[in-house]
Amino acid sequence: MTDILPPLPLWLWFLLALLGLFVARKPVQRAFMALARFCHQSLRLAAVSVADGERRLRRRNREVLLAAGCEAAERCVERELDHVEKTVKRELARYPELHRRLSEQLTAIDRDYALSVEVPPEPGNWSKAIRAVAEIPASRDPVVCDVLEAIRNSMHKAEARALEVYRESARERHQLLRRMMPAWRSILSALSGVNRNVETVIRRAGDLDRHMDRLEEIQRGGDRASRRLAASATTRFFASLVALSIAAAAAVVHFHLIALPVAGAGGSAAHIAGFRAVEVFALVVILLEIFAGLVAMECLRITQFFPAVGALDDKPRRRMLWIAFTALLVLAAVTVSLIWTRELVPGEGGAAADMNRSAYWLYTAAQMGLGLVLPFALAAVAMPLETFITSARTVVGILSSLLLRMLSLGLRLCGTGALVAGGVLVRLYDIVIFLPLWLERRFLDWRAGKGRPPGEPEPS
């Protein structure tokens, strides 16, 4: 074939390529624009779908957030109602005794008060005698003077006796009033206790009103309640994350406190399912401590992982609580005993102990203290764990909604970019074939100028 057709020069191939591109200009540009519009519509449709999913997710997050807020507010209301009920029942149970005691004291006070009333002494018959003597005509009769003198002396004596009787009566009244003071103090103390209890109930009622207002606001589903719940969930999420990180560090320390004594006793050679038996033993002990703490928190109704445990009666629930607490004590004793037996293993503590015996015993005592405290610290991990699980749903939902919104915006931008890229490709295609386009333009202008009448201006 090459022998029949002579090779063409390169400039001729270039001209043929330009001619081919010029002839195929319209279909190629339409293909570019069609592809750009297809990408634009597809990306916009994907953006709309992602935006719709983001709206559904945001609505679902709002529903879950409001439901969690309602549940938390209801728990607060139930707790306040329980406290108010216990206070009222306790005070009502004491009311009959208080009423009886106050009645007895008030009766005694009333009796003593009646006895302490001041009664003025009766004048007796002296007034009649004095009136009769006063009617005697004034004279210098010595008999009359003697009678008046005797009357005066008798009156002085009677006055002294009446004053003494009055003083004795006042003394008795003061004694009665002094005897009333303990009763008054007892009444004031009882009334002060009632006042304190009433103030406690009033304060609880105020807290209950605030929790009810919060519950009503959450049930209305306002934006303010949603923002407040979202902020609270985010704060609780990071706080529980910090607490779980601290608990993880404590678990690592506890793991080594258990594993090192067992390994020193010669248990490092055994393996269970491909893992060292020492590590499996330490891990099982830590998991048992966490589980015992979880059961204890459920029995105390602090957490709600297992509602069936919280719904038990008080008697079996207290039994489970004591069993969990005993298990924690046993596991703590196991850890302390392992640390102690490390001293009895030859080659483990002997060399270090010989160097500085007192410092080494102090170090051992510190390890034993950690071994006693860490099981109870790990038992409390149930509280931040529940908070982390309940708040993680809200935080993950918020982050997912934000990512979907950013993805929708990115798809819209990519769709707009695809449409703009189609126009750019069309312009680039025209730039490649600019020479045929220029010739075509000149030809059309020449043809249009040839067909114009003489004197007509050239169109701009």
Side-chain angles (χ1 to χ4, degrees), residues 443-457:
F443 174 75
L444 292 176
D445 291 342
W446 173 79
R447 191 175 173 184
K450 186 178 181 180
R452 285 195 305 270
E456 184 179 352

Side-chain angles (χ1 to χ4, degrees), residues 74-90 201 204-205 208 211 300-301 314 317:
E74 288 173 357
R75 289 177 62 180
C76 294
V77 170
E78 290 177 359
R79 185 178 64 250
E80 295 297 334
L81 286 176
D82 185 57
H83 290 164
V84 171
E85 182 183 6
K86 289 180 180 179
T87 303
V88 172
K89 283 184 177 180
R90 184 176 63 250
V201 173
R204 295 283 186 185
L208 182 61
H211 290 308
L300 291 174
R301 294 178 179 174
D314 292 338
R317 191 163 50 81

Side-chain angles (χ1 to χ4, degrees), residues 20-30 429-430 433 437:
L21 292 175
F22 177 74
V23 173
R25 174 174 175 265
K26 295 296 183 182
V28 171
Q29 290 183 348
R30 283 196 295 267
Y429 192 90
D430 289 341
I433 59 172
L437 288 176

Side-chain angles (χ1 to χ4, degrees), residues 104 106-116 176 179-180:
E104 293 176 355
L106 289 174
T107 302
I109 290 173
D110 185 67
R111 184 178 62 250
D112 293 339
Y113 178 75
L115 293 175
S116 63
L176 291 173
R179 193 172 63 185
M180 292 164 58

Side-chain angles (χ1 to χ4, degrees), residues 133-134 136 143-153:
V133 173
I136 299 176
V143 177
V144 175
C145 292
D146 293 339
V147 171
L148 293 175
E149 183 66 23
I151 291 173
R152 188 176 67 82
N153 294 332

